[in-house]
């Protein structure tokens, strides 16, 4: 979404990870970006320019002196055209040249002319990466304003473990998204602290069993991601830990409603927005068993467990509200708007986002969602069905009463 119609220059230099540039170009095109590629001569030994030309749907630049266009100087035109540049993989050689201002072939010459944000993704042998010269160069490039994505540790082409692998492509794309957001989205939440809760809480029955629900945490994560794109400092208090964290996003992993409540309360006084997207379990066990509860081997025998009601976290936040804007979710299977309106009042919150979880293609666990927003002033906004990440952007636009981006 952030990369839609963004002009991205992909610079591929000559390491074994060059073959992964195909996937990077493919994912960027899929995200709606317009992609042009530059390759060094050694990169073209690992992968053919034709592959990247087909995937990017643009001619690939490989040689500084093949100037077919008499009206433009190719590498300058390329550098001026870009909104964003990514060098992946970035070899020790290009890192060394760039940090010293050397421009002696197409990639280094173009990079020196680039004035837009540029992400470097170093990938090389671990000893080359750890070498003081490489580290010195990277430090200097960071100071010069380049964005860096650290390589992963893992099995290297040389046959041993080490730090130097190109991170997975989705991670590179995510990093580019957050860089693009920082530069192209208005930073409406700059210096603001936002808490977003996500996922269904787990209330332990015994060490191996729990009461929970189908909430995947996806809607909460989308809300947190957009908040981070808008410059907020985000505390993501979640029962799920598989979501990639953005630069200004902290994951606080919790299990139960009581743990979630404790983490929120610790931060609440300094917080500006609380988005309660978590599906907090309404009940927990009165007594949690210390050991696994044994079955009695008597079929159809009634088993009684005592449950106790969990605190209503959001309602308590509503009671203690000062500067905070509170946003709740109302997942219902019937009388959606009526219940949502009731919750808005009883919990003393600013916004409620109501969604019908009885429909299989939206809500819990789905990629899509369809919601109605209601606020305490009586405003009602119906939004059509869309992907959760797009919906999160719309929701933030409505809450902040400001269109984030005109597209
Ligand atoms: O009352 P109900 O559970 O339907 O309200 C849903 C909203 O309240 C959600 O935003 C949810 O995160 C929050 N909630 C809470 N504490 C609970 C139950 C729900 O904060 N115990």
């Amino acid at each position: 979404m952030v990369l839609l119609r963004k002009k991205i220059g992909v610079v591929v230099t000559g390491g074994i990870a060059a073959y992964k540039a195909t996937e990077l170009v493919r994912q960027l095109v899929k995200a709606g970006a317009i992609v042009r590629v530059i390759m060094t001569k050694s990169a073209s030994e690992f992968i053919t320019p034709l592959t990247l030309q087909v995937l990017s749907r643009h001619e690939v630049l490989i040689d500084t002196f093949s100037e077919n266009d008499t009206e433009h100087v190719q590498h300058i035109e390329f550098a001026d055209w870009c909104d964003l540049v990514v060098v992946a993989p970035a070899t020790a050689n290009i890192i060394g040249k760039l940090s010293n201002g050397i421009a002696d072939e197409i990639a280094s010459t173009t990079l020196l002319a680039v004035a837009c944000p540029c992400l470097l993704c170093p990938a090389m042998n671990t000893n080359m990466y750890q070498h003081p010269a490489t580290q010195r160069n990277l430090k200097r490039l960071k100071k010069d304003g380049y964005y860096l994505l650290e390589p992963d540790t893992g099995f290297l082409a040389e046959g041993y473990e080490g730090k130097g692998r190109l991170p997975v492509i989705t991670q590179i794309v995510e990093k580019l998204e957050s860089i693009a957001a920082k530069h192209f989205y208005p930073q409406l939440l700059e210096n603001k602290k936002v808490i977003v809760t996500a996922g269904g809480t787990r209330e332990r029955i015994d060490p191996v069993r729990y009461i929970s629900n189908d909430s995947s945490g996806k809607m909460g994560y989308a809300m947190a991601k957009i908040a981070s794109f808008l410059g907020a400092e985000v505390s993501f208090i979640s029962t799920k830990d598989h979501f990639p964290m953005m630069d200004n996003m902290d994951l606080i992993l919790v299990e139960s409603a009581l743990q979630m409540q404790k983490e929120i309360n610790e931060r609440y006084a300094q917080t500006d927005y609380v988005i309660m997207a978590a599906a907090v379990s309404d009940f927990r066990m009165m007594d949690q068993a210390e050991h696994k509860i044994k079955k009695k081997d008597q079929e159809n025998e009634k088993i009684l467990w005592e449950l106790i009601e969990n605190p209503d976290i959001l309602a308590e936040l509503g009671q203690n509200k000062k500067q905070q804007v509170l946003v709740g979710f109302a997942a219902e299977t019937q009388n959606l708007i009526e219940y949502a309106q009731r919750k808005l009042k009883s919990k003393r919150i600013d916004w409620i986002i109501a969604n019908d979880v009885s429909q299989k293609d939206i809500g819990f666990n789905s990629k899509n969602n369809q919601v109605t927003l209601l606020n305490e002033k009586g405003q009602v906004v119906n939004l059509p069905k869309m992907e959760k990440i797009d919906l999160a952007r719309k929701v933030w636009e409505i809450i902040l009463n400001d269109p984030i981006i005109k597209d």
Side-chain angles (χ1 to χ4, degrees):
M1 167 197 26
V2 203
L3 299 180
L4 191 68
R5 288 193 285 277
K6 287 282 162 300
K7 296 179 201 143
I8 303 183
V10 177
V11 178
V12 186
T13 61
I16 177 63
Y19 77 93
K20 295 182 184 171
T22 51
E23 183 57 18
L24 175 61
V25 170
R26 213 184 61 79
Q27 285 198 25
L28 292 175
V29 170
K30 197 166 163 229
I34 309 160
V35 181
R36 287 173 69 185
V37 180
I38 284 185
M39 296 172 86
T40 59
K41 205 159 186 325
S42 43
S44 68
E45 301 284 335
F46 288 96
I47 170 181
T48 74
L50 184 62
T51 311
L52 292 174
Q53 178 180 309
V54 172
L55 290 171
S56 68
R57 300 181 209 138
H58 283 96
E59 190 194 343
V60 173
L61 295 196
I62 41 170
D63 185 353
T64 333
F65 299 107
S66 69
E67 295 282 347
N68 303 326
D69 182 349
T70 46
E71 287 198 17
H72 299 103
V73 181
Q74 258 185 340
H75 64 279
I76 302 294
E77 184 274 328
F78 187 103
D80 287 346
W81 173 87
C82 292
D83 293 321
L84 270 178
V85 169
V86 52
V87 187
T91 55
N93 184 42
I94 196 79
I95 287 166
K97 285 199 235 178
L98 198 54
S99 74
N100 287 288
I102 295 171
D104 64 348
E105 39 65 51
I106 187 80
S108 55
T109 312
T110 309
L111 285 170
L112 219 57
V114 160
C116 67
C118 179
L119 172 67
L120 306 175
C121 306
M124 65 199 75
N125 168 271
T126 191
N127 295 331
M128 291 172 81
Y129 179 71
Q130 305 293 0
H131 193 283
T134 308
Q135 290 303 316
R136 195 166 55 234
N137 289 334
L138 284 170
K139 222 186 220 168
R140 199 196 284 182
L141 287 169
K142 196 170 179 186
K143 225 169 132 203
D144 287 347
Y146 285 90
Y147 292 95
L148 299 178
L149 187 62
E150 270 197 39
D152 275 352
T153 302
F155 190 72
L156 302 174
E158 294 78 0
Y160 52 83
E161 295 271 320
K163 186 170 180 169
R165 283 175 61 87
L166 189 73
V168 289
I169 301 302
T170 47
Q171 212 181 319
I172 301 177
V173 175
E174 263 148 20
K175 183 78 184 174
L176 280 170
E177 280 182 342
S178 62
I179 296 169
K182 195 168 163 190
H183 288 268
F184 306 116
Y185 271 14
Q187 297 296 282
L188 301 173
L189 291 172
E190 201 170 9
N191 300 321
K192 298 282 180 212
K193 289 195 165 66
V194 174
I195 290 176
V196 182
T197 65
T201 62
R202 289 176 175 187
E203 311 299 331
R204 287 273 154 208
I205 297 169
D206 65 21
V208 293
R209 303 183 178 96
Y210 53 80
I211 302 167
S212 193
N213 57 63
D214 285 336
S215 170
S216 62
K218 285 181 197 159
M219 190 64 224
Y221 178 67
M223 289 298 291
K225 194 169 175 179
I226 299 291
S228 89
F229 283 175
L230 298 177
E233 201 182 301
V234 183
S235 297
F236 183 59
I237 305 179
S238 169
T239 61
K240 313 274 177 190
D241 65 355
H242 59 272
F243 297 111
M245 289 297 103
M246 306 285 116
D247 287 345
N248 46 350
M249 211 163 147
D250 249 352
L251 169 69
I252 299 114
L253 192 62
V254 294
E255 190 172 271
S256 66
L258 292 182
Q259 286 171 2
M260 185 171 275
Q261 183 187 39
K262 178 175 165 280
E263 296 295 343
I264 296 171
N265 286 346
E266 275 176 17
R267 296 165 176 79
Y268 189 53
Q270 294 82 37
T271 296
D272 302 286
Y273 293 85
V274 181
I275 314 293
M276 279 296 292
V280 182
S281 176
D282 290 323
F283 320 103
R284 67 176 185 277
M285 291 288 280
M286 180 80 126
D287 299 301
Q288 189 184 308
E290 200 182 326
H291 298 287
K292 186 179 168 194
I293 300 170
K294 292 277 167 220
K295 62 178 177 173
K296 298 208 172 97
D297 278 332
Q298 283 173 11
E299 211 179 319
N300 293 331
E301 199 201 13
K302 202 192 270 178
I303 297 167
L304 290 176
W305 285 340
E306 276 189 300
L307 295 178
I308 181 172
E309 199 153 317
N310 266 329
D312 190 320
I313 305 174
L314 193 51
E316 280 186 24
L317 299 178
Q319 295 298 326
N320 303 315
K321 193 166 89 141
K322 291 199 172 75
Q323 80 283 4
Q324 299 90 348
V325 173
L326 300 181
V327 181
F329 278 72
E332 298 292 352
T333 52
Q334 57 179 345
N335 302 337
L336 188 66
I337 302 300
E338 186 193 326
Y339 285 154
Q341 261 154 354
R342 232 185 272 171
K343 259 173 229 178
L344 197 60
K345 289 215 165 61
S346 66
K347 295 184 194 246
R348 295 184 54 199
I349 57 181
D350 301 272
W351 286 95
I352 194 109
I353 300 169
N355 69 323
D356 184 347
V357 285
S358 67
Q359 296 182 42
K360 278 269 167 299
D361 57 336
I362 57 168
F364 278 168
N365 243 321
S366 161
K367 200 173 161 201
N368 297 317
N369 206 352
Q370 180 177 2
V371 301
T372 301
L373 274 86
L374 301 97
N375 75 359
E376 36 91 45
K377 295 186 189 105
Q379 195 183 342
V380 179
V381 188
N382 283 304
L383 291 175
K385 181 172 142 185
M386 60 184 106
E387 281 198 18
K388 285 179 175 170
I389 190 73
D390 297 319
L391 191 73
R393 200 183 94 181
K394 285 267 171 267
V395 168
W396 272 115
E397 280 182 351
I398 293 164
I399 294 171
L400 298 171
N401 194 19
D402 201 327
I404 293 169
I405 204 157
K406 288 129 205 123
D407 55 21

